[in-house]
Structure formats: C-alpha cells, structure tokens
Amino acid sequence: QVKLEESGGGSVQAGGSLRISCAVFGSVFGSECIGWFRETPGKEREYVAVRYDGPGETWYADFVKGRSTISRDNAKKTLFLEISSLKHEDTAVYYCAAGFSGGQWYESGLYHYWGQGTQVTVSS
C-alpha cells in the first residue's frame, strides 16, 4: 500500500521562503517520477516541479523556475519542495504525487497516488 504525507505548509509573508515535505510510504520511491502539484479554488491542479531520477531529469513550471528546488532524501524516502521569493499567487494547496503511469509528466491525471495536500498561504 502506498501513502504520501505532506507537511510543512503554513503562512508566510511575500518575499519569504518555505520548504514543504512529502514522506512516502510503500514501494514508489526509488528512481520513479515523483513531483509536486498545486491547486487553487476555481483552477485545475497544475504541476509545480517534477523529478525523474531514472533518466536524471527535473522540471519546473515557469512560475517557480529559478526560485524553487525539488529534492529528495532517499534514505528517509522524503521529497522536498523549497520555494523562495514567495508571491501571493503562490497561495495554494500543494500536493505530492507519485505512481506515474507514463506519458506527459506534467499531467496530473497520470499520477496514481496523491497526498492529502498542505496549505501554503502567502500574505502580501
């Protein structure tokens, strides 16, 4: 059984930084494609950053490129996302995703496992 648990969300002022974590339980870590998505009311879930250690690829959405880092601790089976220079527009529920079934890595529908999400609120 696979379970993803996000943590580390909260409230932060614009311009600050935040690191959120995703603990992975079950057999979906390794070199698999795993990433972060976010969702705001009225908008579709969108990808933020995806890491695919098999081929050694990392992708960032344009809105976080240059101010975000996706990383992982393989020993602890934990995925991290750090975003700096936070903006009010970064306010969202952030989800960890795993169990990629192949295809376009930025498509949320291609990930089988999701965490419960962690709220990030950026005040301007």
Side-chain angles (χ1 to χ4, degrees):
Q1 186 173 350
V2 175
K3 186 177 181 183
L4 310 179
E5 289 186 355
E6 300 96 338
S7 61
S11 297
V12 63
Q13 287 193 328
S17 62
L18 193 69
R19 188 175 82 158
I20 54 179
S21 305
C22 173
V24 179
F25 302 93
S27 58
V28 288
F29 206 61
S31 61
E32 296 219 7
C33 186
I34 188 167
W36 290 96
F37 289 73
R38 72 184 189 185
E39 190 172 309
T40 55
K43 290 183 66 176
E44 288 189 4
R45 192 169 294 188
E46 60 183 353
Y47 108 94
V48 179
V50 168
R51 185 177 172 124
Y52 198 172
D53 281 12
E57 299 278 0
T58 303
W59 300 278
Y60 295 93
D62 286 343
F63 53 78
V64 294
K65 197 172 291 182
R67 60 186 184 95
S68 179
T69 303
I70 183 172
S71 60
R72 54 193 284 165
D73 182 331
N74 290 332
K76 297 181 178 179
K77 294 186 71 175
T78 302
L79 184 73
F80 303 99
L81 177 70
E82 184 163 2
I83 307 177
S84 61
S85 302
L86 282 160
K87 307 173 185 179
H88 178 68
E89 307 88 271
D90 293 319
T91 296
V93 178
Y94 285 74
Y95 295 91
C96 176
F100 180 60
S101 59
Q104 301 300 328
W105 39 264
Y106 50 81
E107 295 285 355
S108 61
L110 298 177
Y111 292 82
H112 188 66
Y113 304 108
W114 293 86
Q116 81 286 352
T118 185
Q119 176 72 48
V120 172
T121 302
V122 183
S123 58
S124 52

